[in-house]
Every structure is written in structure tokens, then in C-alpha cells.
Amino acid sequence: MLNQETRTALAAKARRLRRMVVTTVHQAGDGHPGPALSCADIVTALYYRCMRIDPAWPRWEDRDRFILSKGHACTVLYAALADLGYFPESALTTFRSLGSILQGHPDMNKTPGVDMTSGSLGHGIPVGAGMAAAARLAGRDFRVYTVVGDGELNEGIVWEGAMAAARMGLDNLVAFVDCNGFQSGGTTEEISGMNRIRERFEAFGWRCREIDGHDFDQIVDAVEETRAPSGKPTMILARTVKGKGVSFMENNNDWHKGVPDKEQLARALVELADGREL
Amino acid sequence: MTMRGTREAFIQGLLEAAQADPAIVLVCADSFKAARAAPFAAAFPDRVFDVGIAEQAAAAFAAGLASCGYKPYVNTYAGFIAMRALEQVRLYAGYTGLDVKFAGLNAGIYGGEREGVTHQFFEDLAALRAIPGLEIVVPADAGQVRQAVLALASRRGPAYIRLGSGREPDILGPEHRFEFGKLKVLSDTGTDVALFTQGPVLARVLKAADLLTARGIGAVVAEAATLKPFDAEAVAAVAARCARVVTVEDHNILGGLGSAVAETLAERGLARPLVRIGIRDVFPQSGPAEALLDHYGMRPEDIAAVSV
């Protein structure tokens, strides 16, 4: 259990990151707000509570690694990295522009703090498994976290990686599945039938846990639990709401990719203002 | 002619490189046996990773290792690297620039021979050549493979090395010195024709040059073992002093060595009759390696015939 002060601080931080997300997408005139808002609390918990990082030393060898496998949600990662000081917050206004350090999807060579390039779906688990194997071979104790979309689980390489990670017993690898129930073209049920996610990962030999992906106590608890050696990689099935925090974006897949206009941005920022419960 | 395997030579070279560099690791996709990797595993049991029959994951996994300071070599069938895992090679090795190397087995119809089209890969170079930053080496024999691995090990960044079946003739001999990125003139009997080649078909090109010499026709045989970066200046210089140009490759004539030479000549306004010998944009069939090359128009006589 988190104490009230920590819980409140994390919630405030997540609201701030969400405001940065909608503002960044508005300013760029492009981006994926819905998927970013859905994993904002997971990203907040990881970067502000769970992960061992040093923003002044982005390439620190012993840092925990993070892969945003659902790279299209990158505005929330960029928001966190900017807020933590990896780069100036002003860079957010250049998102997706020519010459920007903030590419349309995460780029490990252009953006300080991005541990791995992503955007082509399916790679968080197999690449993360390579990182986790590297930690073990080097005798280092860093951990590897990835956030994978539920629609993204359609990609076959996810399961190639899941199989290998389990066979290698990489218990320093933690994959969140941001389970918001939608993918680009509709619900995961109607497009791909990607259901029974927990059972699928369990069958692949993963340790699994199911949580509310907007509850900081549950997110942090689930991560803390993975620190005990188990010989298995962990999948945390996080039940989330696509567009979480902005009423007109919630569970509305039009906001998978969509740009709030000036009036919509103003409404979103009111809803995400400090002091409000989401 | 002595036959030695390019697969065995790759592992030998890798073993030598790994003895000097503890960051070097091997990644297989249930290709450990095919790669003849046992000597590497015996020496470095902790430095071998097998992800199962999953080439895309192998490439992605290797990128994860490389991002944490290791130097992985992904060793599996050429086409499963270059085509099945093409996007992972492009994004996680090419675009990231991570130090991931790929060794492609069974490349060419000579390497894949009796397995048939599923295991004969003659489009790998065309696909990989379009990836920015990916270096490509196509050695001719086992001795050159070993040297090429050591050369690649001294270079940072992604690369692909093309290997064969494990039964390739020794062509170049113990005195040969591989130089990364350099065109190498192996024989020069005159300027009637420039013969550019790479890979084990070099043996056939050398025989063709002998046939030509016997008929009083002068030929330059130049080996472009490094396809990328391409030594275009040297290629142009050889072509400029010859009346005709012929390229010979165990690959589709689209997108590989023949294309690279054609681009080189055209971009310089260097007008020479050009014949590209190779797989003529068809799917081949199963058969003994040498018989296959004969069947698909790569007999020394075929090469000689188009050289005049």
C-alpha cells in the first residue's frame, strides 16, 4: 500500500502528464491521444516510483530499462521524460516536426531517455527479453519494463518473444499489457478476438497478475511483487480505459488517432486540472 | 579442389573474435546445429542464446542485447534473416545502428541447392542493400569468411555476412588477404572484358577467364566481396579500361551485384556493354549445387560466351 501522500503525488503527476499529452497532440496537429492516456498511470508509476533511473545520466548502465512497445502512445513517454528533465519541456512543441528530437514514434538515438526505438508493434517483449538476458549475463541487477497494447498482442513476434523469455526464465522482465479493449479499427473482440490474455500468457509460462491499470496501489504492488525471484517473466494485465481522464475521449476509439481542437483542448485541460479526481 | 565449409569458417572466425572480445555473443533460431556452432558453445556456453524457430524474435532479442553493450551475431538461414525478419533487421539493427551482425546460411542457390526454393535465397542482398547503414559482405570461400568475420568484428554497427551450405571450394588460398570495403583484382590478362563477381561463383569466373585467355581474350577478374559499402570508384576504374563488363552472382540479377555495377556505370556516364549473369528473375529448383549453377546459366562457358 502506498501512503496517502505518495498516492496523491502520483495522481497529480499523472494528471500533469495527461495535460501534456493533449497539449502536445493539439500543438502538433497529429498524434494518438487515446492510447497515451490509457497507459499514463502505468508510465507515471514506473517513472516516478518503481524504476531505478537518473535523468542526469540517461545511459547509466545499471538503470532500469523501459520499452514503450505501443510506441504510438509516445506523447506520454515524452511528457514524463521532459518532466523528469531528460530534455527541455519546450521540445514537446516540436513533436513530429522536421528537426525535432521527438519523432513520430520513440527513437533511442534522437531522444534522451528513450531506451529503445519502437513504433512497429510487437517488439517490447522480444527486445526486452534481450535486455533482460544481457542483465543476467553481465551480472547486473537492472530490470526491464515494457508496456504492450492489447491489440498489439495480435503480432506473432510477441509470442515468439514470450516463448523465449519464459524458456530462459527471465524474471527481470516485466510486461504490462495496457488492456483498454480497443485497437485501431474497433474493439479487440471484434477485430482480432484477442481475449483471455491472462490464460494465454500463463500457458506460455509467464507469471501473471491482473490489476486496475489506473490504481496506483495496484500498479506499484504488482511491480514490487515481481522483485521476488520466480524464474518467470511477469505479465501484468492492466485493465484500462482508452482516453482515460478526458470524458469525451474515454472509450471513444475516434481518439485512437485524433487531434483536439482549441475548444476540446480547453475542455480536456479543465477535466485534467489539479485537484480533480479522474 | 579442397572443399571447406563457410559455416564452419564463420564459427571459427567468431570463436577467435570472441576470445578477444567478451562482448561477442551468438544468437540462434534453432539454427545451432545448422550453424555448426558447437565449438563456440563449448568455449562460451553462457554466450549462446537460442530463441527457438523465431527469426524475427532472434533479431529483436539481439537488439536488446546490443542496447546493453553486447555484440550479438544472429546466425540462421539467410532468407529467414533477410526476408522473414527483414523489418526487424531494418528497424532494430539498421535504424538503431546497434552493433548487431547477421550471418545468413544457405545463401544463393549454390548454398540452398537440394533443399529447393524454400531454402535457396537469391533475393537477400537486394532486400538488405536497401537498408541504410547495413554493411554487407559476400565472401567467396571459407578462408575469406574467417577473415571477413574478424574484419566485421572490428567494426561497430550492423552488418550481414553471406554464408553457404558448408561445402564450398577453397578458391583464394592461404595467401589471400581480405580487405573490407575494397574491390580486389584477382587476375588481369587484358582489357577485353571486366568480370565482376562475389561469393563462391568466383571459382567459375576464374575458369571462364582461363577459357578466354586460351582464346586470346584478355580479362580482368575483380572480386567485390563487400557489397556495401560498394567500392564504386574501383569498379568504375576497372570498367573504364575494359571494353565490356560482365557481372556474375549467385543471386537474382535484380538488386544485387549486377545492379550495383550497373548503377555505378550509369551514374558516371561510363558506357560499356553490360551483361548480368545470375538467377534471371525466376524461382529455381532442387538439385546438386554445381549442376544447379550450370542449369541456370552460370557455366564457365556461359560466362565466357557473353564476354566477347
Side-chain angles (χ1 to χ4, degrees):
Chain A
M1 280 285 278
L2 301 170
N3 63 39
Q4 187 55 41
E5 191 185 348
T6 305
R7 193 178 298 122
T8 305
L10 287 172
K13 192 59 82 177
R15 275 195 305 274
R16 170 164 156 71
L17 297 189
R18 285 189 165 95
R19 292 196 297 271
M20 293 161 86
V21 165
V22 291
T23 305
T24 299
V25 173
H26 170 77
Q27 285 170 334
D30 199 16
H32 297 76
L37 295 173
S38 107
C39 63
D41 297 312
I42 298 166
V43 168
T44 301
L46 287 173
Y47 271 91
Y48 295 88
R49 174 75 190 184
C50 302
M51 280 169 45
R52 182 171 72 197
I53 51 170
D54 180 354
W57 193 3
R59 306 240 175 194
W60 178 29
E61 288 186 329
D62 283 318
R63 73 191 184 281
D64 287 341
R65 302 314 200 263
F66 178 75
I67 307 171
L68 186 62
S69 194
K70 46 176 286 184
H72 53 287
C74 57
T75 46
V76 71
L77 174 61
Y78 294 162
L81 295 176
D83 179 70
L84 285 162
Y86 283 91
F87 52 81
E89 204 174 314
S90 59
L92 294 174
T93 62
T94 68
F95 171 55
R96 293 197 163 195
S97 301
L98 207 57
S100 177
I101 64 164
L102 303 180
Q103 294 293 293
H105 289 81
D107 183 320
M108 63 186 289
N109 294 317
K110 291 201 166 75
T111 309
V114 170
D115 292 321
M116 183 50 67
T117 295
S118 65
S120 167
L121 294 176
H123 293 101
I125 288 176
V127 174
M131 291 175 165
R136 199 163 68 178
L137 181 57
R140 296 182 183 277
D141 66 351
F142 68 78
R143 302 174 64 72
V144 183
Y145 299 92
T146 181
V147 172
V148 187
D150 49 354
E152 183 180 3
L153 299 178
N154 296 176
E155 291 282 4
I157 191 174
V158 170
W159 304 100
E160 292 185 4
M163 184 166 48
R167 206 272 294 159
M168 294 178 191
L170 298 172
D171 56 11
N172 50 351
L173 173 64
V174 179
F176 279 90
V177 172
D178 176 9
C179 191
N180 60 36
F182 288 95
Q183 52 194 103
S184 178
T187 67
T188 51
E189 278 294 343
E190 67 192 3
I191 300 293
S192 63
M194 181 45 70
N195 52 21
R196 301 177 66 192
I197 292 166
R198 178 176 185 153
E199 289 89 330
R200 292 180 200 236
F201 273 91
E202 278 172 349
F204 271 69
W206 285 52
R207 177 170 59 172
C208 298
R209 175 149 178 196
E210 200 163 336
I211 62 165
D212 175 345
H214 301 302
D215 181 315
F216 287 107
D217 284 284
Q218 292 188 38
I219 299 169
V220 172
D221 273 358
V223 170
E224 291 307 316
E225 203 179 80
T226 67
R227 296 187 194 277
S230 68
K232 291 180 174 185
T234 298
M235 190 280 294
I236 300 172
L237 180 60
R239 297 283 173 199
T240 56
V241 173
K242 198 161 181 173
K244 174 72 176 178
V246 178
S247 59
F248 57 91
M249 292 186 183
E250 287 189 358
N251 289 317
N252 178 351
N253 213 33
D254 291 344
W255 292 98
H256 173 78
K257 182 166 185 176
V259 181
D261 62 23
K262 228 173 151 177
E263 182 267 331
Q264 288 168 322
L265 175 67
R267 276 169 60 201
L269 292 177
V270 167
E271 293 185 20
L272 295 168
D274 278 329
R276 290 178 65 122
E277 284 293 319
L278 301 187
Chain B
M1 206 168 237
T2 313
M3 303 293 275
R4 277 198 299 164
T6 48
R7 300 182 186 195
E8 289 80 355
F10 172 79
I11 290 297
Q12 178 58 37
L14 193 65
L15 195 54
E16 290 175 43
Q19 274 153 359
D21 186 347
I24 288 177
V25 297
L26 180 66
V27 177
C28 295
D30 193 13
S31 46
F32 180 85
K33 270 168 69 180
R36 316 282 193 261
F40 188 95
F44 305 111
D46 296 340
R47 288 157 68 178
V48 179
F49 298 93
D50 199 326
V51 301
I53 310 168
E55 294 79 11
Q56 298 175 19
F61 183 89
L65 285 166
S67 75
C68 296
Y70 285 100
K71 298 174 181 172
Y73 286 68
V74 180
N75 190 342
T76 187
Y77 292 85
F80 308 151
I81 291 170
M83 289 176 273
R84 189 187 286 256
L86 178 60
E87 198 212 350
Q88 286 72 32
V89 175
R90 167 191 183 253
L91 192 63
Y92 283 101
Y95 185 55
T96 61
L98 287 166
D99 201 352
V100 184
K101 310 284 203 277
F102 297 91
L105 312 171
N106 270 36
I109 60 172
Y110 189 74
E113 23 105 283
R114 295 207 156 179
E115 305 289 347
V117 166
T118 55
H119 289 63
Q120 295 166 327
F121 306 113
F122 49 90
E123 311 97 327
D124 55 330
L125 302 175
L128 296 173
R129 200 160 76 89
I131 296 175
L134 184 79
E135 297 182 334
I136 302 175
V137 180
V138 186
D141 69 3
Q144 198 178 52
V145 165
R146 181 185 150 270
Q147 293 189 49
V149 178
L150 293 168
L152 288 178
S154 70
R155 302 177 64 79
R156 281 193 79 83
Y160 173 77
I161 181 169
R162 201 179 201 231
L163 306 176
S165 65
R167 296 176 297 280
E168 288 80 24
D170 268 347
I171 304 169
L172 293 160
E175 303 304 315
H176 172 75
R177 290 292 166 266
F178 170 77
E179 270 188 280
F180 179 87
K182 297 283 189 211
L183 183 78
K184 192 146 191 148
V185 172
L186 297 177
S187 80
D188 186 343
T189 61
T191 57
D192 295 310
V193 64
L195 297 163
F196 294 104
T197 191
Q198 60 182 193
V201 288
L202 169 63
R204 290 164 170 258
V205 175
L206 290 169
K207 280 182 192 157
D210 288 344
L211 295 175
L212 291 166
T213 306
R215 292 162 56 187
I217 298 160
V220 178
V221 176
E223 188 207 17
T226 307
L227 182 61
K228 196 173 181 183
F230 194 58
D231 193 359
E233 290 309 316
V235 167
V238 169
R241 62 189 176 88
C242 294
R244 302 172 62 81
V245 174
V246 174
T247 60
V248 184
E249 59 193 314
D250 183 5
H251 186 272
N252 198 328
I253 57 168
L254 306 180
L257 175 68
S259 293
V261 169
E263 292 157 14
T264 300
L265 302 188
E267 283 179 344
R268 286 163 180 74
L270 192 55
R272 292 290 182 278
L274 169 67
V275 177
R276 291 172 297 161
I277 288 185
I279 308 300
R280 301 196 64 79
D281 206 23
V282 296
F283 286 106
Q285 51 185 314
S286 299
E290 300 291 346
L292 270 178
L293 292 178
D294 286 350
H295 182 78
Y296 288 97
M298 287 176 265
R299 294 182 308 155
E301 293 79 4
D302 299 323
I303 300 165
V306 300
S307 296
V308 290

